[in-house]
Every structure is written in structure tokens, then in C-alpha cells.
Amino acid sequence: MAVNESDRSFDHPLYETLERFPGLDLATTAVDKVLTWGANNSQWIFPMATSCCGIEFMAAAASLVDLDRMGSITRGSPRQSDLMVVAGTITVKMAPRVKRLWDQMPEPKWCIAMGSCAISGDFYRDIYSVIPGIDVAIPVDVYIPGCPPNPEQLMAGMLRLQEKVNLKRAGLWSPPETRPETGKTIEPAIKRLLQAGRDERITAAQLDQAMSLMLPAVDLPPRPEPEPEPTAEADAGTTEAPAAPATPDGGHHE
Amino acid sequence: MTPVALARAPWPDPYLNVDDYDPEADLMVINLGPQHPSTHGVFRVVLYLDGEIIIKAIPHPGYLHRGVEKLCEKLTYAQITPIVDKNDYVAPMLNEQAVNMAFEKMLGVEVPLRARYMRTILAEIQRVASHLLWLGTFAMDLGGALGGGTSVFMYCFRERESILNLFEDLTGCRFHYNTHTVGGQRHDIPAGWAAKVHQTLEAISQRIPEYETMLEHPIFVRRTKGVGVIDADLALELGLTGPLLRASGVDHDLRRDAPYHIYDQLKDLAVAVESEGDCMARYKVRVKELRESIRIARMLIDNVPEGPISGGRPIKQPGQFKAKGGQVYVGIETPRGELGTYLIAGGGKMGDTPYRLKIRPPSLHALACVPYVFPGHSLSDAVAILGSLDPIMGEVDR
Ligand code: SF4
């Protein structure tokens, strides 16, 4: 069910330029090392702090644990950050926004799921409005369990992420095999948003309801019928959260 | 509800039709949120701006709706405590107390005196932690005025960390404690805890003047004084409670007016009241409450009587408590105002779950004033006002 991790990280146009010139292509290794070193030691964080875990994230960024010493600064804009920390429960209403903000982050980018809610939905997972883990929408690199995880655990997760980045660049990283007994997922009766095979009428009804809350008298163009709702896809990279033109939506503001 | 007519011209109408607004004006629509560092969670306000002045604000909550009330209908009384912890995640102790007091009232369980003392102390210490977190994030919202704004945040979180250590000693958790049960407490006071409480609270009370000097900065004063005035009529009409109501000049505090725990024995409980109703008044009320809570907690911690910490039988199985029907309402004073729990008993086959559990969150009512207060202020003031309301989205959306 989890989104496949795309391996598009580090596909930098710089490499293509370097490879075009004979002789210069030898420099790619050195450039690569520098880029990896930089990416590893200045993971700027975009905090997707929705609920309680967000408070622990703030505690981690504050004086006692101090994420700053890892070169990690908290940024309020997705365009300036490399690492999204999803801290807190993600609801059906919030998930398209998270996805959109994730799409706005420049490559290479990483994601940490902090807390049981972001991993699996915690005890809210069977509630109608909560998605069972953020990995149904965006690829996750490191999972940090706990309700909430301590700031020290977040720190340990960041170190794991650095290891992973290094291994990935060295070509040594392979996804860990899930044990069959723990790898099984319980499917909810009604398919969740962003999950394949979801009844599109439910999505449409929810969207209509959400859009009807927007009070500005804007003439919405009629929604094209034959096209499938884009949010119903579980595919990473191709999905765009649907938004009617000229209506305000999350993520524009900075 | 009929809209409250405000005397404050020229933009009093929260239901302003934007089409009727001056056609010459340069209107702009801006989204604040749902992911914005200053919204303290996931809260979205659609702002209509004329230049930089807000003419209309439409709040959109619901981005953190987790269906807690529905979830509680499936769980037995003893199982609900850890669930409601997650509502107001800045003051979880008070959430636990609210539901457990409702259950005790419904089931007729007596709480021993020691447990009531402990609850009062925990509530007051939690109030200190909550107000500290508010102070830090509020200073950060105001931003550049205070040396990047993060210095007060760093100091406040340092003190809050020491309070979390106290709770960790008592319950084993930094937050989401699950330390209250129906009829009492789960964890007794460990040895040497009282001395630690004294030490921590003494250190914090010595540092409060430091924050005050930092926040008496002229820029801070100019960004808060006269900004976001909520007058007493509007506050009462919208159901604001807690520091927001007291900052508007209404002398109302459930700890004194409808005492629970052992607050009826505290004859000298000082209730902080300010009359201006602006952001500065809210800040002053909260800082006064900080001092008062520290005083109460330090006064009570020496006088905790000996005895059992839990009344009735120990909880051996989740479905132990049963009630066939009836309804109760319990309201307590949290750092944000009146947290009410309305319980209709008699759910489930055995009557061991609530039929309906309604939580009345103070933050939801605080956010109700957004369409009334935002118009007429500039965009940067909106952030200051929202910060001063201290909303916790976990309990707004539940
Ligand atoms: S994992 Fe626990 S602490 Fe974190 S957001 Fe979920 S309920 Fe809150």
C-alpha cells in the first residue's frame, strides 16, 4: 500500500552537463561527494506539525536537544527545505495539502514519519476521517515510532536518515524486506483517499462539501466528467491535489 | 445566532458580502494556513484584504478532525483517559481530569482527599507549562521584535522542559500521561518529588521577571497594545472563557465560582482580570496566572495529606464500571478556559461505555471571534491576534 520510493533524488542537471564533456565526467565523483556531504549535514526541515507530535518536534528544535547543531534549521516554506517531518495525525482533509506541499519541495528530498499517527494512524486508524499513515500519500524514508517519540528519538531518526543518504549514494542501500507477519496491512472497508480503487463518488462528494465552504462568489467551471479524480491515484509524482481555479487553497501562502 | 453588532466602525460586519464592497478597491484573497507556522497547528483562515487591511475573515477549522467523541463511544470508561489526552495536547492533565470527573460524578465514585490534592497540584503545574509554551510561541509569532523572536521561545521551552521532567518522574511520560483513573490517581507521589517541585517552580518564578523585561520592549508593546480588542459583550456572546474572557474585564474563573477538587478551600485564590481586552491584556492575564499557579502549587505540595490515592476498588478489568443511563456535565478551568464534558451514560450492551460524550473545547469558542476581530487589522496583526487566542487545534477539531 505504501507509495514506492522514486529514485529520482540527485538527478541533477549538473551531472548531465558534466557527462557531456570528455574528461570532465571524471569530476562527477568529486561533485557527487560534495553534494552528498552538503545534503547530509544541512537537512533543512519543513515541519508538517499537525498535532501533539508537533509539540515534541518543537521541543526538539528548542534549547535542550537543539536540532540546529545538526545543521537542521526549521523553515516555514517547502521550497527552501530538504526534509519533511510529518509529526502528527494526518486527516483526509489534510492529506491532499500534505501531498501538494511535498510536491513543492525541490529534489533531493526526504521524509520522516514521526509518531504512530504518521506511521499507521495510531488508534485513530479506523476513524472515518484519518488516513492510515502518511505513506499512503508520500514516500517515507525513516519511521520513528512512539506516541509521541522523545526529542532524542527524533535525533536518532535524523542520524539514521544520514546513514541512509550515505548508503544510497554509495549504491549500497536496499529496501529492507518486510517480515510477512508484520508486513500485512488491514484494509479498511471504505478505501481511503489517495488509495487505489476508491469509489470516486465518495471523493467527489467530499470535495464538493469542502469546496462549498468557500464563500467567495466565484463561478466554478463545470468539472469535466470523464476524467478520473486525480486524488484517487496512489501514484507518487503524478498526483496534483485538485483545486478549482481562482479559489484559494492551502499551500499558496508563505 | 444573530450577529453581534460591534460599535467599532468601519468594518463591523463579519458577514460582509465582498461583492458589495467598494468596486474601486484593490481586493486580494489570502490563505493563512492550513500549514502555516503561526496557526499553531492546522487552521485555515481565508482573508480578504483591501491593501493590507483585512475586511473579512472566514475561518475553516477541521483539518485535524480525529473523531475522538465517536471513538469514545466504543471504549469503556477506564479506557477513555489515554484517548482524551490527545485533545488538548498542551495540557493533557486537565483533559484527563475533565473526563474522569464526569465519570466519577456519573458513577458516584468518591475521590479521596490525597488524590484531590494531587489533582489540584498537577493542574496548576500543567497550567504553568501551558502558559510557558504559549508565551514562547507568541513571542515567536511576533517575530523580529525580539531578536529574531526565538530567544523567548528558547527560554520558555527550557523551563517547560524542567516541568516535563517533574511529570516524567511522577508518571514515566513526558506528556500523554494516563495518570488519572476513575476514582483517583494511578501513580503516587515519589520520594523527593515535593523538593523537586519547589526547586523547579522557584527557578521559574525567578525567571518570569526576565521575560517581562524582554517583553516590555517598545516594539512588543506597539504590536500588542490596542490590537485585537474583544469587548466584554462580544466575549460573553461568543462564549469565550478563561484568560480571554478575563482579559476583557469579566471576572469569571471556574476555580473560584464553581469550585472542584480542593479549590473551595483556597480562600485567597487571586483571579487576574484586565479590562482592555487587547493582546497586551491577554498577555498580562496569563503572566499573572503563571505567578498565581506557581504560588498555589508550592503552597499545596507541602500539605498533601496521607491516605489512599484511589477510591473504590482497583481497576482490574476495563468494563468494571457500569451505568444504565443519565447525564452529567462537568466543567473545569483549563489554561484556555472552560473545558466541559457532557456525558450520557448507557452505551454498549452492558452499559459500560458512554452513549455519547461531548467535549466542549474552549479553543473552538476562542476561534469563533476570528471573523469579528480580524477585520480592520493589518495582516501582520492577524498573526498576533491568532497567537494571543492560544488555540490548540487538537481540541478545536477533536
Ligand atoms: S502519535 Fe500520539 S502524540 Fe503523535 S500525533 Fe499521534 S496521538 Fe499525538
Side-chain angles (χ1 to χ4, degrees):
Chain A
M1 196 165 72
V3 174
N4 285 333
E5 281 188 58
S6 64
D7 232 340
R8 289 175 299 128
S9 316
F10 288 103
D11 266 359
H12 204 280
L14 183 63
Y15 295 126
E16 292 168 18
T17 324
L18 285 178
E19 276 162 13
R20 227 174 287 141
F21 300 101
L24 265 188
D25 51 351
L26 291 178
T28 42
T29 331
V31 171
D32 188 54
K33 267 191 189 146
V34 172
L35 280 185
T36 312
W37 174 79
N40 234 349
N41 291 303
S42 66
Q43 298 270 9
W44 286 16
I45 299 179
F46 180 64
M48 183 48 70
T50 57
S51 57
C52 357
C53 280
I55 303 288
E56 275 306 63
F57 175 81
M58 274 157 70
S63 33
L64 186 70
V65 176
D66 194 8
L67 282 179
D68 276 12
R69 61 183 150 144
M70 306 187 59
S72 296
I73 312 176
T74 312
R75 301 303 302 180
S77 164
R79 300 185 197 280
Q80 300 168 349
S81 33
D82 316 292
L83 167 64
M84 180 187 264
V85 176
V86 183
T89 322
I90 304 295
T91 56
V92 169
K93 197 174 175 184
M94 193 64 200
R97 273 81 179 175
V98 179
K99 176 82 178 106
R100 167 175 284 211
L101 288 167
W102 170 257
D103 290 342
Q104 286 175 355
M105 280 168 59
E107 297 271 359
K109 55 190 173 186
W110 315 91
C111 177
I112 286 183
M114 176 183 181
S116 323
C117 279
I119 294 174
S120 67
D122 209 354
F123 43 73
Y124 304 112
R125 79 177 274 134
D126 288 333
I127 293 287
Y128 51 90
S129 62
V130 176
I131 65 164
I134 189 56
D135 54 6
V136 303
I138 61 177
V140 175
D141 291 291
V142 175
Y143 297 86
I144 307 175
C147 181
N150 283 355
E152 292 83 0
Q153 272 172 285
L154 179 61
M155 205 74 168
M158 303 270 303
L159 293 174
R160 288 297 298 266
L161 182 64
Q162 292 194 343
E163 271 171 41
K164 183 174 174 179
V165 175
N166 274 336
L167 287 179
K168 247 191 161 161
R169 285 318 291 159
L172 297 174
W173 190 82
S174 58
E177 285 177 15
T178 46
R179 283 181 294 154
E181 63 271 25
T182 55
K184 71 166 186 281
T185 49
I186 307 160
E187 289 289 325
I190 299 176
K191 291 270 189 285
R192 304 302 166 102
L193 193 72
L194 306 168
Q195 203 174 344
R198 177 181 159 100
D199 189 350
E200 282 174 20
R201 282 169 305 173
I202 298 176
T203 315
Q206 282 185 346
L207 272 177
D208 281 347
Q209 208 199 353
M211 291 300 170
S212 70
L213 291 174
M214 299 182 188
L215 300 182
V218 181
D219 277 343
L220 299 181
R223 194 173 278 122
E225 278 308 321
E227 273 184 26
E229 280 296 331
T231 34
E233 301 175 15
D235 212 352
T238 59
T239 322
E240 248 308 288
T247 41
D249 205 338
H252 286 318
H253 181 70
E254 200 176 287
Chain B
M1 193 186 90
T2 46
V4 185
L6 276 189
R8 224 158 25 84
W11 296 292
D13 182 14
Y15 302 100
L16 175 85
N17 188 353
V18 182
D19 295 340
D20 297 346
Y21 194 72
D22 180 10
E24 301 282 293
D26 180 17
L27 280 194
M28 183 162 68
V29 185
I30 274 198
N31 254 299
L32 196 67
Q35 213 294 328
H36 188 271
S38 80
T39 56
H40 294 213
V42 277
F43 178 56
R44 171 170 163 226
V45 202
V46 178
L47 300 172
Y48 289 79
L49 302 179
D50 176 1
E52 213 199 347
I53 304 296
I54 300 168
I55 58 164
K56 182 177 180 176
I58 310 171
H60 290 280
Y63 289 91
L64 192 54
H65 176 60
R66 305 191 272 197
V68 174
E69 290 172 1
K70 194 71 195 163
L71 186 60
C72 289
E73 288 167 18
K74 286 197 298 187
L75 301 173
T76 60
Y77 293 120
Q79 289 175 324
I80 286 176
T81 312
I83 308 290
V84 294
D85 261 345
K86 279 87 181 172
N87 284 354
D88 178 355
Y89 38 79
V90 175
M93 285 285 182
L94 280 304
N95 287 275
E96 295 181 4
Q97 290 179 3
V99 284
N100 279 311
M101 280 165 65
F103 298 162
E104 282 149 10
K105 197 168 168 187
M106 166 64 72
L107 302 164
V109 182
E110 193 65 31
V111 185
L113 191 60
R114 184 178 173 84
R116 287 199 280 151
Y117 263 85
M118 281 177 69
R119 284 184 182 186
T120 317
I121 293 166
L122 291 178
E124 294 306 323
I125 300 180
Q126 182 74 79
R127 198 182 310 274
V128 175
S130 171
H131 281 343
L132 280 174
L133 188 136
W134 171 80
L135 190 59
T137 46
F138 183 53
M140 200 159 65
D141 286 346
L142 293 184
L146 311 154
T150 45
S151 34
V152 181
F153 170 78
M154 290 287 175
Y155 288 125
C156 288
F157 263 72
R158 179 186 62 187
E159 323 310 0
R160 184 174 173 273
E161 206 68 40
S162 63
I163 290 182
L164 293 192
N165 284 345
L166 286 181
F167 287 149
E168 201 171 357
D169 285 351
L170 183 76
T171 66
C173 305
R174 282 168 53 88
F175 57 99
H176 301 341
Y177 310 104
N178 193 11
T179 179
H180 297 75
T181 58
V182 183
Q185 302 290 110
R186 221 183 277 271
H187 308 101
D188 205 347
I189 297 180
W193 197 67
K196 261 188 206 165
V197 170
H198 273 305
Q199 203 183 351
T200 311
L201 295 185
E202 175 63 35
I204 293 175
S205 61
Q206 279 176 7
R207 279 169 186 158
I208 292 176
E210 275 180 38
Y211 311 143
E212 282 182 325
T213 39
M214 266 185 273
L215 295 174
E216 236 78 297
H217 195 285
I219 302 179
F220 178 82
V221 175
R222 282 180 72 171
R223 288 210 60 188
T224 53
K225 220 175 179 71
V227 171
V229 179
I230 307 173
D231 48 25
D233 288 344
L234 178 63
L236 287 171
E237 193 81 27
L238 295 179
L240 300 196
T241 43
L244 303 183
L245 186 61
R246 290 195 282 276
S248 297
V250 182
D251 192 358
H252 175 79
D253 191 329
L254 285 183
R255 291 178 292 169
R256 186 198 58 200
D257 301 339
Y260 49 96
H261 298 339
I262 57 156
Y263 283 116
D264 48 351
Q265 298 173 20
L266 299 175
K267 292 285 178 263
D268 56 345
L269 183 80
V271 177
V273 184
E274 295 282 334
S275 56
E276 290 87 17
D278 53 0
C279 293
M280 191 62 164
R282 278 166 236 150
Y283 155 75
K284 278 184 190 157
V285 164
R286 289 200 174 97
V287 172
K288 277 187 195 163
E289 282 186 20
L290 259 183
R291 290 218 167 89
E292 183 65 11
S293 292
I294 290 175
R295 189 183 71 82
I296 295 174
R298 291 192 64 188
M299 187 174 74
L300 291 180
I301 189 76
D302 291 331
N303 303 327
V304 183
E306 291 299 320
I309 54 166
S310 181
R313 291 175 297 147
I315 295 173
K316 293 239 175 66
Q317 64 212 42
Q320 182 173 332
F321 300 107
K322 294 188 181 65
K324 273 283 165 271
Q327 17 184 311
V328 293
Y329 175 83
V330 168
I332 67 169
E333 183 81 21
T334 73
R336 270 154 281 281
E338 175 174 356
L339 174 65
T341 309
Y342 181 65
L343 168 73
I344 303 179
K349 282 205 189 79
M350 315 282 294
D352 54 357
T353 67
Y355 177 76
R356 174 86 170 88
L357 184 74
K358 163 87 176 86
I359 295 166
R360 179 224 184 265
S363 300
L364 176 63
H365 294 257
L367 287 182
C369 73
V370 163
Y372 293 89
V373 180
F374 274 21
H377 290 96
S378 68
L379 180 58
S380 49
D381 284 344
V383 173
I385 298 170
L386 201 56
S388 77
L389 296 179
D390 192 15
I392 298 297
M393 296 320 287
E395 69 171 0
V396 173
D397 298 336
R398 283 158 288 148

